[in-house]
Amino acid sequence: MLTMPKTVKMDAEMQAFVNDVLESIQQAKRGERRVHHVTLTVAAQARDKVGVSQSAFSKLLGVSLRTLQEREQGLRQPSGAAQSLIRVAQAHPEVLRVLREPVSTKGCTTQPTRCFGCLRGLGGVVRPAR
């Protein structure tokens, strides 16, 4: 194993780091690779299931892009309402995908409500108009 010249003084933490780097270099030369397993946060899993960018998902949740990024990194916990919406996104990602589409009132007989008739198989969900 390679070592640092004796004239360089380091604390124990720095020496451990140097040893780790040198070991990684030797592993790479031998053709070995390190495998790192990353566990996604609930917010990142939900966004992945919906299949949208961070920017699009943050708009669907009604939060800033930075807030979503912090949630995906585990730096911030979603509020109760956001947690509920994230659970919906995980269980039924098609619902959030539909929310991205323009609202169609074609064939809607329940005015002044706005009908989400394109929610195939979800029972014709109707939301009150704003």
Side-chain angles (χ1 to χ4, degrees):
M1 177 181 226
L2 298 173
T3 59
M4 294 296 293
K6 300 275 185 205
T7 58
V8 177
K9 294 185 180 186
M10 287 184 245
D11 64 12
E13 184 178 354
M14 184 57 134
Q15 184 62 49
F17 172 74
V18 169
N19 290 340
D20 188 47
V21 169
L22 294 173
E23 179 63 26
S24 294
I25 291 168
Q26 290 173 348
Q27 285 176 338
K29 286 181 181 179
R30 292 189 302 261
E32 299 172 9
R33 302 287 182 249
R34 287 185 180 185
V35 177
H36 298 277
H37 298 279
V38 177
T39 304
L40 295 178
T41 62
V42 174
Q45 289 173 5
R47 182 176 63 83
D48 185 53
K49 280 192 171 186
V50 175
V52 295
S53 68
Q54 284 183 331
S55 178
F57 197 57
S58 68
K59 289 175 185 170
L60 286 172
L61 295 178
V63 299
S64 72
L65 176 60
R66 186 70 200 134
T67 296
L68 177 65
Q69 290 169 339
E70 289 172 352
R71 288 177 180 170
E72 288 192 358
Q73 294 168 10
L75 301 174
R76 176 182 277 191
Q77 293 301 313
S79 68
Q83 285 177 355
S84 295
L85 191 52
I86 288 170
R87 281 196 300 272
V88 169
Q90 284 185 302
H92 302 285
E94 67 278 4
V95 172
L96 268 73
R97 282 189 214 110
V98 169
L99 292 176
R100 292 184 61 217
E101 299 172 4
V103 174
S104 171
T105 56
K106 181 180 178 184
C108 183
T109 60
T110 58
Q111 295 297 336
T113 60
R114 296 174 5 161
C115 178
F116 286 81
C118 55
L119 290 173
R120 294 171 284 279
L122 295 178
V125 177
V126 177
R127 182 174 83 183
R130 292 182 182 165

